[in-house]
Amino acid sequence: MACRRSPRLHPQIHASEDGARMTGHIRRRRGKSLAQPDSLPDDDDMLREILLRLPPQPSSLLRASAVCKRWRGLVTDPRFFNQFYAHHRKPPLLGVFLRRNQGRGVVFNPILDPPDCIPPRRFDLGRCRSRDGYELLDCRHGLVLIKIRSRTEVVVWDPITSEQRRLAITPKFQMSVFNGAVLCAASDQGHIHGSCHSSPFKVVLMSGYKQFDQPLACVYSSETGIWGNLILTEVRCEISRKPAILVGNSLYWLCKGDDILEFDLGEHSLSVIRGLPVTNDILFKNRQVIRAEHGAIGYAILSYPHFQMWQREVNGHGGVTWVPWKTIEMHSILELPPLTEEVVALLLGYDDDSDVIFLSVSGNTYMVQLKSMQSTKLYETIDTYHHHPFKSFYTPGAAMVD
C-alpha cells in the first residue's frame, strides 16, 4: 500500500500574490542586520542612582565595591556617602553595647543575620582598656561614651573609625558618681545622624552632688575644646545609672524615686520634673522614660505580662498630668503562651530614635518595635546590664580596613 502523507502534519503552503511581494521584500532586506535594541548608557550618574537604592545594611555597599574598580570608585566616594545617607535617612541598628564582667568590660552584641552580622571583635575598645576597668555611659548618633574608672577622664569612641577622644573631666565630677550623654552637634542643613564620624559633638555630664544630692551638669563642646560652666538646680534629686533619653532638644534622666531630670540643650538649663508615682513592688530597672507622641515625653513600666505607657500633658494653665497612653500584652507580642508561674522579665534598654525596647523574658532577649508591635527574638540572655543600641551606617572604607 502506498503511504499517504497527512495534510495536517505536512501542509501544502501556497504563496499568494501579497505573500510573494512580502517574501521579495524580506529577500531584498536580507544581508542587512536588524536594528539592535538600545542598551543602558554607560553613564556613572545612572549607575550611581541605582547604587543609591541598595539597602543600608552593612553588606550592601561592601559587596558592590567588590564587583569592579569602577563600582568601588563610586561607592567609596565621600560624595556618594552623603547621597546614600540622605536617601535612606535612618541608619540601621547594628547591635547593642553592654557591660560585662561585673561592670569592667564593654561588649558588642550583633543582632543582624549574616552577611550583615558585624563580628564583635570589629568593635573592640583596644587601647582604651584599663586595669581598674571602665564603665559604659551612653551610646548615640554612632558614638559611645566611656568612663575610665582609674582616671579622671571620659572617652568618646567612634566604633566605625576606631577613633577615640579622651576628655579630662572637671574636678567637681572627679569625686562624685556621675552619668553622661554624648550626641552629635552638627548644625548643617540636611545632616543625617549615623554618619557623624567627623562631625562636632557634645558631652553632657550629670551628677547628684555628693553631699546634698543636688543635680549638677556640665557640657563639653568639641568645637571649643573646653567644658562650660557648671549648671545646677536647687531641687534635690539623686541621679541614677540609667542612660539619658533624647526627646526634642532635651535630655532626660530617670532619678531614683519618681523624679525626672531635664537638661535643655539649647538653654543649658536644668530642671526636675515630677514623674509618675510608682509602687515599690515594681523594679526600678523596669521603669523607663520614653518618647511619646507629638514631642512629649512618656513613662513606661514593665510588669509582665503588661507593658504600660503614660504620656505627660501640660494644660493651658501650666499644670502637668500623666495620662494613660497604651497597655500592651507582652506575651501575645512575643508569641509566648500565657504562663501561670511567675516570669522573670526585665527591661534591658530603649532606643529613643527608633522607639525600640529590649526585654529579657524567661532567659531570652527580645527586641520589640513599639509602633508596629513587631518582635524579634535575638539571643539567650547572658547579662542583664542595660543595653545601649548602636545605629550607624557601615561604609566600605571603614570595613575594608578590618
Side-chain angles (χ1 to χ4, degrees), residues 20-39:
R21 283 198 300 268
M22 180 62 69
T23 303
H25 179 67
I26 294 175
R27 286 174 178 171
R28 284 192 299 271
R29 293 187 57 188
R30 191 168 293 171
K32 181 180 179 181
S33 61
L34 298 177
Q36 297 295 325
D38 291 336
S39 60

Side-chain angles (χ1 to χ4, degrees), residues 41 112 122 139 151 207 210 229 239 247 295 315 326 351 388:
L112 297 178
R122 176 65 183 87
C139 181
R151 302 176 186 177
S207 171
K210 187 174 182 180
N229 297 326
I239 189 72
V247 180
N315 58 35
K326 293 180 184 178
D351 179 31
H388 295 255

Side-chain angles (χ1 to χ4, degrees), residues 9-266:
L9 296 178
H10 302 277
Q12 300 294 323
I13 301 176
H14 302 282
S16 63
E17 185 177 348
D18 292 338
R21 283 198 300 268
M22 180 62 69
T23 303
H25 179 67
I26 294 175
R27 286 174 178 171
R28 284 192 299 271
R29 293 187 57 188
R30 191 168 293 171
K32 181 180 179 181
S33 61
L34 298 177
Q36 297 295 325
D38 291 336
S39 60
L40 291 175
D42 188 15
D43 183 77
D44 283 352
D45 291 337
M46 177 170 289
L47 179 57
R48 188 179 294 107
E49 288 296 323
I50 296 173
L51 295 175
L52 285 176
R53 284 154 177 80
L54 290 174
Q57 305 304 322
S59 66
S60 295
L61 294 184
L62 190 59
R63 286 182 163 190
S65 66
V67 172
C68 61
K69 290 184 178 180
R70 180 188 175 200
W71 284 34
R72 181 171 181 172
L74 287 175
V75 300
T76 56
D77 186 352
R79 293 172 299 178
F80 175 83
F81 289 157
N82 294 332
Q83 295 172 340
F84 189 77
Y85 305 150
H87 178 79
H88 291 285
R89 302 298 299 174
K90 288 185 176 293
L93 181 61
L94 303 181
V96 294
F97 284 99
L98 64 153
R99 294 186 298 152
R100 278 191 184 170
N101 301 327
Q102 299 178 347
R104 294 193 175 189
V106 177
V107 178
F108 176 74
N109 268 14
I111 64 172
L112 297 178
D113 296 326
D116 298 308
C117 180
I118 307 296
R121 66 179 181 276
R122 176 65 183 87
F123 294 155
D124 183 69
L125 274 171
R127 59 187 174 87
C128 191
R129 293 192 178 116
S130 172
R131 177 178 299 178
D132 293 333
Y134 39 82
E135 183 178 349
L136 177 61
L137 296 181
D138 194 33
C139 181
R140 183 178 290 103
H141 299 162
L143 301 173
V144 180
L145 182 63
I146 304 291
K147 173 188 175 183
I148 304 296
R149 288 185 172 182
S150 60
R151 302 176 186 177
T152 57
E153 61 184 5
V154 293
V155 177
V156 177
W157 173 41
D158 185 340
I160 299 294
T161 64
S162 301
E163 182 182 3
Q164 297 179 14
R165 293 278 297 273
R166 293 177 177 267
L167 313 176
I169 61 177
T170 58
K172 203 75 171 180
F173 284 87
Q174 294 177 9
M175 302 301 296
S176 62
V177 176
F178 62 86
N179 207 328
V182 62
L183 64 157
C184 175
S187 58
D188 25 326
Q189 188 176 4
H191 176 78
I192 306 298
H193 292 308
S195 59
C196 315
H197 310 304
S198 58
S199 302
F201 62 86
K202 288 183 179 180
V203 172
V204 181
L205 296 187
M206 182 70 63
S207 171
Y209 193 68
K210 187 174 182 180
Q211 295 178 345
F212 306 104
D213 293 333
Q214 187 177 12
L216 186 69
C218 194
V219 181
Y220 174 87
S221 171
S222 66
E223 294 179 291
T224 62
I226 59 174
W227 292 93
N229 297 326
L230 296 176
I231 306 163
L232 54 88
T233 178
E234 297 299 327
V235 182
R236 300 289 188 266
C237 181
E238 186 179 357
I239 189 72
S240 73
R241 293 182 179 271
K242 277 183 169 285
I245 300 301
L246 178 64
V247 180
N249 201 36
S250 294
L251 289 166
Y252 296 90
W253 279 273
L254 191 61
C255 298
K256 294 181 179 179
D258 299 327
D259 292 333
I260 300 172
L261 268 174
E262 178 185 9
F263 182 76
D264 190 306
L265 292 164

